[in-house]
Amino acid sequence: MRCAYCNKEAEIYVENLGSWVCEEHFERYFLKRVDRVLRRVRRGSSLLFGISGGKDSIAAIHSTDLLKEKYGFRIGAVMIDTGSDECLRVFNELKDMLGFEGEVLSLRDWGIEIPRDPKLACFVCGVVNRYLLNRYAVERGYDYVATGHNLDDMAYFGLNNLIKHSLDYLLYQYDSVTEPVPELRMAGKVKPLFWLSDSDSLSYVKLKGLPRCSTKCPDGLDKQAIIKPILYEIRKKWPPSLVNFVSSIRELVRMAEHPQRKVNLCERCGYPTSGKICAFCRLKESIGGLR
Ligand SMILES: [Zn+2]
Ligand SMILES: [Zn+2]
């Protein structure tokens, strides 16, 4: 099989293109899409990566690191310790390789324990991750939190929020870059892999020989496990469908009227929430009952 762009042997299948490409053209394809996101971030910004150790967060920080000089970015990273020694090793290996400032955050220091019940674990993990990444970024003077969310996640979030009729997420967070709001103690968000899929991240970490660990969530009943395979079925027939689906939602969101978003500062911790007390503080207060 020949590469779709040159005469070389093709090694990698790119699902969103529906074509086989050589290693060199794969890297070009990948970095071009990361660059499409990064060029929207203010020059000279500092980015804090939340690293799980899975293929996506690894591919996101490695590719951003390759492009950081161009935009004068400062890069740092944190891993939230969920008790996997394998993931901690991956984090430290990556830190030595790329030389970023990095820290492992222990949940115990925050008075949080991930409950054993897998359904609760997923919920707690989500709340804790979002909160700690934002808070750490704001306290340490980072402008943005960067995550490994990719195109497949965005397609899933898009469809899931549409079928739940939950428009808030789509209106305020459905983008590759959202700007920081310092007066609300909200870091901006960057998703370097916004235009790249699961299979692309996997090909990238393999191509670059990067370390990674398994971060499979224990909850097999996760809605993603139902929705993503349906999206993949559609893409098998029409390769550009997921890219188009995500672009369409994003364009519609941009055209829509955006009512003033209600954000308060939490009465306990002073970080943003839509209510009076944020999800993290409520969780901490009820954690005894969750175990
Ligand atoms: Zn090629
Ligand atoms: Zn709070």
Side-chain angles (χ1 to χ4, degrees):
M1 185 91 62
R2 295 280 140 211
C3 168
Y5 301 102
C6 72
N7 255 329
K8 272 190 236 147
E9 188 69 29
E11 319 261 355
I12 299 168
Y13 185 67
V14 178
E15 284 168 301
N16 296 324
L17 298 175
S19 358
W20 286 86
V21 296
C22 69
E23 290 186 346
E24 191 192 322
H25 277 107
F26 174 76
E27 182 168 353
R28 234 188 258 186
Y29 157 86
F30 195 95
L31 293 178
K32 198 171 147 189
R33 276 151 187 81
V34 173
D35 191 71
R36 191 181 290 172
V37 173
L38 297 183
R39 70 181 175 215
R40 300 182 60 209
V41 177
R42 264 178 299 148
R43 269 169 186 274
S45 292
S46 49
L47 277 58
L48 176 73
F49 280 80
I51 302 289
S52 64
K55 63 180 180 7
D56 296 307
S57 57
I58 301 291
I61 193 169
H62 187 274
S63 54
T64 303
D65 188 73
L66 285 178
L67 296 165
K68 72 174 183 213
E69 308 275 306
K70 185 175 170 188
Y71 298 107
F73 293 152
R74 172 170 76 99
I75 287 181
V78 289
M79 169 173 271
I80 294 172
D81 183 9
T82 51
S84 158
D85 291 341
E86 192 199 358
C87 291
L88 287 178
R89 262 201 308 278
V90 166
F91 183 73
N92 287 323
E93 207 178 309
L94 200 72
K95 195 174 138 187
D96 292 343
M97 187 191 286
L98 302 179
F100 52 75
E101 289 165 47
E103 198 177 327
V104 175
L105 302 181
S106 152
L107 292 183
R108 216 156 280 158
D109 295 346
W110 288 87
I112 296 278
E113 232 178 273
I114 300 289
R116 261 172 248 125
D117 177 347
K119 271 199 187 154
L120 281 176
C122 276
F123 169 73
V124 171
C125 194
V127 169
V128 167
N129 256 298
R130 275 192 297 277
Y131 181 85
L132 289 183
L133 285 176
N134 180 64
R135 181 158 173 174
Y136 189 94
V138 170
E139 281 178 359
R140 304 295 172 103
Y142 286 95
D143 304 301
Y144 296 87
V145 166
T147 57
H149 291 113
N150 64 30
L151 182 80
D152 303 359
D153 300 321
M154 296 320 293
Y156 160 71
F157 291 148
L159 187 55
N160 188 39
N161 283 289
L162 287 175
I163 62 182
K164 281 197 305 189
H165 193 236
S166 142
L167 299 184
D168 215 57
Y169 176 85
L170 298 178
L171 278 174
Y172 299 104
Q173 292 174 70
Y174 204 79
D175 209 344
S176 55
V177 178
T178 60
E179 289 306 314
V181 190
E183 61 275 23
L184 290 174
R185 303 177 99 182
M186 259 156 69
K189 304 272 173 345
V190 183
K191 302 179 184 80
L193 307 183
F194 192 86
W195 299 112
L196 292 154
S197 281
D198 274 338
S199 52
D200 296 324
S201 310
L202 190 60
S203 302
Y204 185 84
V205 294
K206 282 188 184 163
L207 178 67
K208 296 285 180 185
L210 302 173
R212 68 186 166 104
C213 64
S214 161
T215 53
K216 273 253 173 297
C217 292
D219 188 7
L221 299 171
D222 191 349
K223 241 173 157 182
Q224 288 202 44
I226 298 169
I227 291 181
K228 276 190 174 172
I230 297 172
L231 293 168
Y232 293 155
E233 263 320 294
I234 298 173
R235 180 174 59 186
K236 254 191 230 160
K237 282 214 184 279
W238 299 287
S241 52
L242 293 201
V243 175
N244 290 340
F245 181 61
V246 170
S247 301
S248 301
I249 296 181
R250 200 175 67 137
E251 274 169 42
L252 285 171
V253 164
R254 284 179 172 177
M255 284 183 239
E257 247 178 69
H258 288 60
Q260 184 74 38
R261 193 180 184 189
K262 265 186 234 132
V263 182
N264 312 308
L265 294 177
C266 169
E267 288 177 1
R268 300 272 193 281
C269 70
Y271 278 83
T273 172
S274 54
K276 284 187 168 176
I277 297 173
C278 77
F280 183 81
C281 288
R282 273 182 281 138
L283 190 70
K284 258 180 89 166
E285 280 162 24
S286 66
I287 203 87
L290 280 173
R291 256 173 225 157

